[in-house]
Amino acid sequence: RDRRLIDDMRGLHRGELVIAAMAGPTSAILPRALAELRRSHRNLLVHLRMCGHRELMEAVQQGEADLGIGFDLPRETGLRVLASRAVHLGAGGRRDHPLAGEGGISLADCGAWPLVVADTSMAIRPHLDALHARLNLRLVPAMETNSIAFMRQMVLAEDAITFLTPFDIIEEASAGSLVFLPLRERSQWPQHLALLAHASNANPFLHLLVERITQILDSAPGRGPDRTLAAAPTVG
């Protein structure tokens, strides 16, 4: 009862939150974060839009979305970076995959197995292509997709390997069904997952959700250095 009175006073008892997110965060991070938030705020109505880079940025800039979540987002004037995490691409496989017992694996090791990879519409692919090119290796996919969920399911279904970030398999790694395998030859440029909001956005639920998301990100396997912006500046 006391919590309800406090929430009513803060304007947090009822409300809406609009989120624009790329496929990876949508399938791996947001369900858990939103479930945690809704345990204490049952009357919160959430609208989720899956977007590409351009659509995501436009939605946040125009005030159509309270929060934008995605990888390698461009810097735009008028937007606040609420949190950011840098992470390197790695391999993902079933926990009983022969490569899973190795201390470290190489990109050439992965090429000996069926590869389920992100297609050219996804933020992962430029990093994967650049890494292969730097090592003078040819990427030969068995399957290409724009679905992180499909990539995870295929490596669970057969002895395949996929390339993704630790953030993409948080739940599966926690359950022990998939393992994240860091590559010996890390890419020169890490991917950056950013949580963005318009500078004028005052939705009280925004920071509550960001807090839960960052806690989940910090539990990811193989996580790299963090960049958390406590006093979120406007970028430009």
Side-chain angles (χ1 to χ4, degrees):
R1 181 181 176 182
D2 290 341
R3 177 59 183 269
R4 182 175 178 179
L5 289 173
I6 292 172
D7 282 354
D8 283 341
M9 291 172 62
R10 292 178 176 173
L12 297 179
H13 188 52
R14 294 179 182 275
E16 296 187 26
L17 192 60
V18 182
I19 305 166
M22 294 172 63
T26 300
S27 64
I29 300 166
L30 277 172
R32 182 171 160 189
L34 288 169
E36 292 179 3
L37 180 59
R38 282 182 45 77
R39 275 196 284 271
S40 56
H41 298 85
R42 283 293 183 186
N43 290 322
L44 173 63
L45 174 60
V46 176
H47 305 272
L48 175 63
R49 294 169 52 181
M50 292 183 62
C51 306
H53 279 80
R54 180 177 298 178
E55 186 183 358
L56 187 155
M57 297 299 294
E58 288 178 355
V60 178
Q61 284 180 317
Q62 296 172 12
E64 297 172 1
D66 298 299
L67 179 65
I69 310 174
F71 283 99
D72 301 332
L73 298 175
R75 297 174 63 85
E76 295 288 347
T77 300
L79 300 186
R80 291 180 296 159
V81 181
L82 303 180
S84 178
R85 295 292 188 274
V87 66
H88 283 277
L89 196 65
R94 224 170 39 210
R95 64 178 177 180
D96 60 349
H97 192 284
L99 291 182
E102 301 290 332
I105 64 171
S106 69
L107 205 61
D109 293 333
C110 298
W113 299 89
L115 300 180
V116 183
V117 303
D119 67 20
T120 55
S121 70
M122 300 191 71
I124 292 174
R125 188 57 179 265
H127 293 265
L128 185 58
D129 288 341
L131 184 56
H132 277 81
R134 181 163 64 90
L135 298 172
N136 199 28
L137 293 173
R138 184 181 171 214
L139 174 62
V140 184
M143 299 183 192
E144 293 181 311
T145 179
N146 65 350
S147 169
I148 295 289
F150 179 77
M151 292 162 68
R152 292 195 302 253
Q153 290 302 314
M154 282 309 306
V155 297
L156 283 171
E158 63 170 299
D159 285 335
I161 288 292
T162 190
F163 298 101
L164 32 66
T165 76
F167 301 151
D168 297 317
I169 60 166
I170 287 177
E171 292 297 328
E172 291 79 7
S174 177
S177 57
L178 292 179
V179 292
F180 179 80
L181 306 170
L183 296 170
R184 294 194 192 108
E185 318 96 339
R186 296 207 306 180
S187 59
Q188 291 176 299
W189 301 279
Q191 287 188 263
H192 289 91
L193 179 66
L195 282 65
L196 304 178
H198 196 279
S200 63
N201 191 294
N203 190 320
F205 289 100
L206 183 59
H207 290 281
L208 293 177
L209 179 59
V210 169
E211 184 178 287
R212 285 160 175 79
I213 291 173
T214 54
Q215 289 172 353
I216 293 169
L217 294 177
D218 290 342
S219 71
R223 184 173 52 84
D226 296 345
R227 286 170 54 222
T228 302
L229 307 181
T234 301
V235 299

